[in-house]
PDB file of all heavy atoms in Angstrom:
ATOM      1  N   LEU A 191     112.123  96.540  79.436  1.00 95.00           N
ATOM      2  CA  LEU A 191     111.432  97.439  80.355  1.00 95.00           C
ATOM      3  C   LEU A 191     109.916  97.335  80.193  1.00 95.00           C
ATOM      4  O   LEU A 191     109.417  97.057  79.089  1.00 95.00           O
ATOM      5  CB  LEU A 191     111.847  98.898  80.104  1.00 95.00           C
ATOM      6  CG  LEU A 191     113.299  99.265  80.312  1.00 95.00           C
ATOM      7  CD1 LEU A 191     113.528 100.729  79.956  1.00 95.00           C
ATOM      8  CD2 LEU A 191     113.716  99.005  81.757  1.00 95.00           C
ATOM      9  N   GLY A 208     106.679 105.005  86.009  1.00 96.00           N
ATOM     10  CA  GLY A 208     108.096 104.788  85.738  1.00 96.00           C
ATOM     11  C   GLY A 208     108.253 103.512  84.946  1.00 96.00           C
ATOM     12  O   GLY A 208     107.276 102.989  84.391  1.00 96.00           O
ATOM     13  N   TYR A 209     109.470 102.995  84.901  1.00 97.00           N
ATOM     14  CA  TYR A 209     109.736 101.758  84.170  1.00 97.00           C
ATOM     15  C   TYR A 209     110.480 100.782  85.079  1.00 97.00           C
ATOM     16  O   TYR A 209     111.326 101.182  85.892  1.00 97.00           O
ATOM     17  CB  TYR A 209     110.575 102.029  82.912  1.00 97.00           C
ATOM     18  CG  TYR A 209     109.797 102.798  81.868  1.00 97.00           C
ATOM     19  CD1 TYR A 209     109.803 104.181  81.859  1.00 97.00           C
ATOM     20  CD2 TYR A 209     109.046 102.125  80.916  1.00 97.00           C
ATOM     21  CE1 TYR A 209     109.077 104.893  80.906  1.00 97.00           C
ATOM     22  CE2 TYR A 209     108.312 102.819  79.959  1.00 97.00           C
ATOM     23  CZ  TYR A 209     108.340 104.209  79.971  1.00 97.00           C
ATOM     24  OH  TYR A 209     107.609 104.896  79.039  1.00 97.00           O
ATOM     25  N   MET A 210     110.162  99.519  84.920  1.00 97.00           N
ATOM     26  CA  MET A 210     110.846  98.462  85.651  1.00 97.00           C
ATOM     27  C   MET A 210     111.440  97.455  84.674  1.00 97.00           C
ATOM     28  O   MET A 210     110.815  97.142  83.658  1.00 97.00           O
ATOM     29  CB  MET A 210     109.889  97.724  86.594  1.00 97.00           C
ATOM     30  CG  MET A 210     109.468  98.492  87.828  1.00 97.00           C
ATOM     31  SD  MET A 210     108.481  97.427  88.929  1.00 97.00           S
ATOM     32  CE  MET A 210     108.180  98.549  90.293  1.00 97.00           C
ATOM     33  N   ASN A 211     112.627  96.976  85.039  1.00 95.00           N
ATOM     34  CA  ASN A 211     113.147  95.789  84.395  1.00 95.00           C
ATOM     35  C   ASN A 211     113.030  94.656  85.407  1.00 95.00           C
ATOM     36  O   ASN A 211     112.491  94.858  86.507  1.00 95.00           O
ATOM     37  CB  ASN A 211     114.587  95.995  83.899  1.00 95.00           C
ATOM     38  CG  ASN A 211     115.552  96.349  85.033  1.00 95.00           C
ATOM     39  OD1 ASN A 211     115.199  96.301  86.213  1.00 95.00           O
ATOM     40  ND2 ASN A 211     116.775  96.706  84.657  1.00 95.00           N
ATOM     41  N   ALA A 214     114.631  95.478  88.793  1.00 97.00           N
ATOM     42  CA  ALA A 214     113.866  96.446  89.598  1.00 97.00           C
ATOM     43  C   ALA A 214     112.650  95.776  90.232  1.00 97.00           C
ATOM     44  O   ALA A 214     112.310  96.063  91.394  1.00 97.00           O
ATOM     45  CB  ALA A 214     113.433  97.623  88.732  1.00 97.00           C
ATOM     46  N   THR A 225     110.950 100.367  93.380  1.00 98.00           N
ATOM     47  CA  THR A 225     112.206 100.629  92.686  1.00 98.00           C
ATOM     48  C   THR A 225     111.992 100.536  91.180  1.00 98.00           C
ATOM     49  O   THR A 225     111.293  99.634  90.696  1.00 98.00           O
ATOM     50  CB  THR A 225     113.287  99.598  93.124  1.00 98.00           C
ATOM     51  OG1 THR A 225     113.484  99.725  94.524  1.00 98.00           O
ATOM     52  CG2 THR A 225     114.608  99.846  92.402  1.00 98.00           C
ATOM     53  N   PHE A 226     112.590 101.450  90.459  1.00 98.00           N
ATOM     54  CA  PHE A 226     112.465 101.516  89.006  1.00 98.00           C
ATOM     55  C   PHE A 226     113.834 101.332  88.356  1.00 98.00           C
ATOM     56  O   PHE A 226     114.863 101.353  89.019  1.00 98.00           O
ATOM     57  CB  PHE A 226     111.915 102.880  88.574  1.00 98.00           C
ATOM     58  CG  PHE A 226     110.589 103.216  89.179  1.00 98.00           C
ATOM     59  CD1 PHE A 226     110.504 104.065  90.287  1.00 98.00           C
ATOM     60  CD2 PHE A 226     109.416 102.726  88.629  1.00 98.00           C
ATOM     61  CE1 PHE A 226     109.287 104.382  90.847  1.00 98.00           C
ATOM     62  CE2 PHE A 226     108.193 103.040  89.185  1.00 98.00           C
ATOM     63  CZ  PHE A 226     108.121 103.874  90.290  1.00 98.00           C
ATOM     64  N   PHE A 227     113.799 101.213  87.018  1.00 97.00           N
ATOM     65  CA  PHE A 227     115.023 101.373  86.248  1.00 97.00           C
ATOM     66  C   PHE A 227     114.986 102.751  85.649  1.00 97.00           C
ATOM     67  O   PHE A 227     114.089 103.087  84.877  1.00 97.00           O
ATOM     68  CB  PHE A 227     115.145 100.317  85.139  1.00 97.00           C
ATOM     69  CG  PHE A 227     116.403 100.479  84.347  1.00 97.00           C
ATOM     70  CD1 PHE A 227     117.594  99.945  84.813  1.00 97.00           C
ATOM     71  CD2 PHE A 227     116.419 101.195  83.161  1.00 97.00           C
ATOM     72  CE1 PHE A 227     118.771 100.099  84.102  1.00 97.00           C
ATOM     73  CE2 PHE A 227     117.591 101.370  82.446  1.00 97.00           C
ATOM     74  CZ  PHE A 227     118.763 100.825  82.912  1.00 97.00           C
ATOM     75  N   SER A 228     115.948 103.588  86.020  1.00 94.00           N
ATOM     76  CA  SER A 228     116.012 104.945  85.507  1.00 94.00           C
ATOM     77  C   SER A 228     116.698 104.948  84.152  1.00 94.00           C
ATOM     78  O   SER A 228     117.868 104.562  84.034  1.00 94.00           O
ATOM     79  CB  SER A 228     116.786 105.841  86.485  1.00 94.00           C
ATOM     80  OG  SER A 228     117.032 107.114  85.891  1.00 94.00           O
ATOM     81  N   ARG A 229     115.971 105.391  83.138  1.00 92.00           N
ATOM     82  CA  ARG A 229     116.555 105.429  81.793  1.00 92.00           C
ATOM     83  C   ARG A 229     117.589 106.543  81.677  1.00 92.00           C
ATOM     84  O   ARG A 229     118.571 106.408  80.961  1.00 92.00           O
ATOM     85  CB  ARG A 229     115.442 105.626  80.756  1.00 92.00           C
ATOM     86  CG  ARG A 229     114.486 104.425  80.663  1.00 92.00           C
ATOM     87  CD  ARG A 229     113.290 104.730  79.807  1.00 92.00           C
ATOM     88  NE  ARG A 229     112.522 105.828  80.373  1.00 92.00           N
ATOM     89  CZ  ARG A 229     111.589 106.513  79.719  1.00 92.00           C
ATOM     90  NH1 ARG A 229     111.306 106.188  78.464  1.00 92.00           N
ATOM     91  NH2 ARG A 229     110.927 107.480  80.308  1.00 92.00           N
ATOM     92  N   SER A 230     117.389 107.650  82.397  1.00 92.00           N
ATOM     93  CA  SER A 230     118.343 108.760  82.326  1.00 92.00           C
ATOM     94  C   SER A 230     119.621 108.442  83.085  1.00 92.00           C
ATOM     95  O   SER A 230     120.728 108.810  82.669  1.00 92.00           O
ATOM     96  CB  SER A 230     117.717 110.033  82.859  1.00 92.00           C
ATOM     97  OG  SER A 230     117.302 109.868  84.204  1.00 92.00           O
ATOM     98  N   LYS A 231     119.499 107.734  84.224  1.00 92.00           N
ATOM     99  CA  LYS A 231     120.694 107.386  85.020  1.00 92.00           C
ATOM    100  C   LYS A 231     121.275 106.034  84.601  1.00 92.00           C
ATOM    101  O   LYS A 231     122.384 105.689  85.004  1.00 92.00           O
ATOM    102  CB  LYS A 231     120.316 107.337  86.505  1.00 92.00           C
ATOM    103  CG  LYS A 231     119.817 108.671  87.044  1.00 92.00           C
ATOM    104  CD  LYS A 231     119.280 108.517  88.468  1.00 92.00           C
ATOM    105  CE  LYS A 231     118.699 109.851  88.953  1.00 92.00           C
ATOM    106  NZ  LYS A 231     118.035 109.729  90.270  1.00 92.00           N
ATOM    107  N   ASN A 232     120.498 105.293  83.846  1.00 94.00           N
ATOM    108  CA  ASN A 232     120.903 103.960  83.368  1.00 94.00           C
ATOM    109  C   ASN A 232     121.264 103.028  84.525  1.00 94.00           C
ATOM    110  O   ASN A 232     122.274 102.325  84.503  1.00 94.00           O
ATOM    111  CB  ASN A 232     122.063 104.058  82.383  1.00 94.00           C
ATOM    112  CG  ASN A 232     122.242 102.778  81.587  1.00 94.00           C
ATOM    113  OD1 ASN A 232     121.263 102.091  81.279  1.00 94.00           O
ATOM    114  ND2 ASN A 232     123.468 102.427  81.273  1.00 94.00           N
ATOM    115  N   ARG A 233     120.424 103.031  85.558  1.00 96.00           N
ATOM    116  CA  ARG A 233     120.643 102.183  86.728  1.00 96.00           C
ATOM    117  C   ARG A 233     119.334 102.027  87.494  1.00 96.00           C
ATOM    118  O   ARG A 233     118.352 102.730  87.240  1.00 96.00           O
ATOM    119  CB  ARG A 233     121.704 102.779  87.646  1.00 96.00           C
ATOM    120  CG  ARG A 233     121.306 104.107  88.289  1.00 96.00           C
ATOM    121  CD  ARG A 233     122.312 104.523  89.340  1.00 96.00           C
ATOM    122  NE  ARG A 233     122.021 105.807  89.948  1.00 96.00           N
ATOM    123  CZ  ARG A 233     121.176 106.009  90.959  1.00 96.00           C
ATOM    124  NH1 ARG A 233     120.482 104.980  91.460  1.00 96.00           N
ATOM    125  NH2 ARG A 233     120.988 107.216  91.465  1.00 96.00           N
ATOM    126  N   LEU A 234     119.335 101.113  88.472  1.00 97.00           N
ATOM    127  CA  LEU A 234     118.180 100.985  89.364  1.00 97.00           C
ATOM    128  C   LEU A 234     118.064 102.239  90.209  1.00 97.00           C
ATOM    129  O   LEU A 234     119.064 102.846  90.611  1.00 97.00           O
ATOM    130  CB  LEU A 234     118.325  99.769  90.277  1.00 97.00           C
ATOM    131  CG  LEU A 234     118.252  98.391  89.635  1.00 97.00           C
ATOM    132  CD1 LEU A 234     118.226  97.324  90.714  1.00 97.00           C
ATOM    133  CD2 LEU A 234     117.050  98.250  88.729  1.00 97.00           C
ATOM    134  N   TRP A 235     116.831 102.609  90.490  1.00 95.00           N
ATOM    135  CA  TRP A 235     116.560 103.836  91.243  1.00 95.00           C
ATOM    136  C   TRP A 235     115.369 103.580  92.170  1.00 95.00           C
ATOM    137  O   TRP A 235     114.265 103.335  91.724  1.00 95.00           O
ATOM    138  CB  TRP A 235     116.263 104.992  90.294  1.00 95.00           C
ATOM    139  CG  TRP A 235     115.663 106.199  90.932  1.00 95.00           C
ATOM    140  CD1 TRP A 235     116.228 107.002  91.866  1.00 95.00           C
ATOM    141  CD2 TRP A 235     114.346 106.728  90.674  1.00 95.00           C
ATOM    142  NE1 TRP A 235     115.355 108.020  92.211  1.00 95.00           N
ATOM    143  CE2 TRP A 235     114.194 107.864  91.496  1.00 95.00           C
ATOM    144  CE3 TRP A 235     113.296 106.355  89.828  1.00 95.00           C
ATOM    145  CZ2 TRP A 235     113.039 108.639  91.503  1.00 95.00           C
ATOM    146  CZ3 TRP A 235     112.143 107.128  89.827  1.00 95.00           C
ATOM    147  CH2 TRP A 235     112.022 108.241  90.662  1.00 95.00           C
ATOM    148  N   THR A 236     115.638 103.576  93.486  1.00 97.00           N
ATOM    149  CA  THR A 236     114.553 103.419  94.456  1.00 97.00           C
ATOM    150  C   THR A 236     113.957 104.787  94.725  1.00 97.00           C
ATOM    151  O   THR A 236     114.667 105.708  95.126  1.00 97.00           O
ATOM    152  CB  THR A 236     115.078 102.803  95.773  1.00 97.00           C
ATOM    153  OG1 THR A 236     115.612 101.503  95.493  1.00 97.00           O
ATOM    154  CG2 THR A 236     113.964 102.678  96.792  1.00 97.00           C
ATOM    155  N   GLU A 239     115.256 107.605  97.340  1.00 93.00           N
ATOM    156  CA  GLU A 239     116.633 107.378  97.811  1.00 93.00           C
ATOM    157  C   GLU A 239     117.373 108.691  98.080  1.00 93.00           C
ATOM    158  O   GLU A 239     118.306 108.738  98.866  1.00 93.00           O
ATOM    159  CB  GLU A 239     117.411 106.512  96.826  1.00 93.00           C
ATOM    160  CG  GLU A 239     117.637 107.140  95.464  1.00 93.00           C
ATOM    161  CD  GLU A 239     118.300 106.195  94.480  1.00 93.00           C
ATOM    162  OE1 GLU A 239     118.119 104.963  94.592  1.00 93.00           O
ATOM    163  OE2 GLU A 239     119.019 106.688  93.595  1.00 93.00           O
TER     164      GLU A 239
END
Side-chain angles (χ1 to χ4, degrees):
L191 298 177
Y209 291 89
M210 287 186 178
N211 59 8
T225 300
F226 302 99
F227 180 83
S228 171
R229 294 171 299 165
S230 59
K231 298 172 184 174
N232 196 34
R233 65 171 177 83
L234 292 188
W235 166 63
T236 298
E239 64 185 29

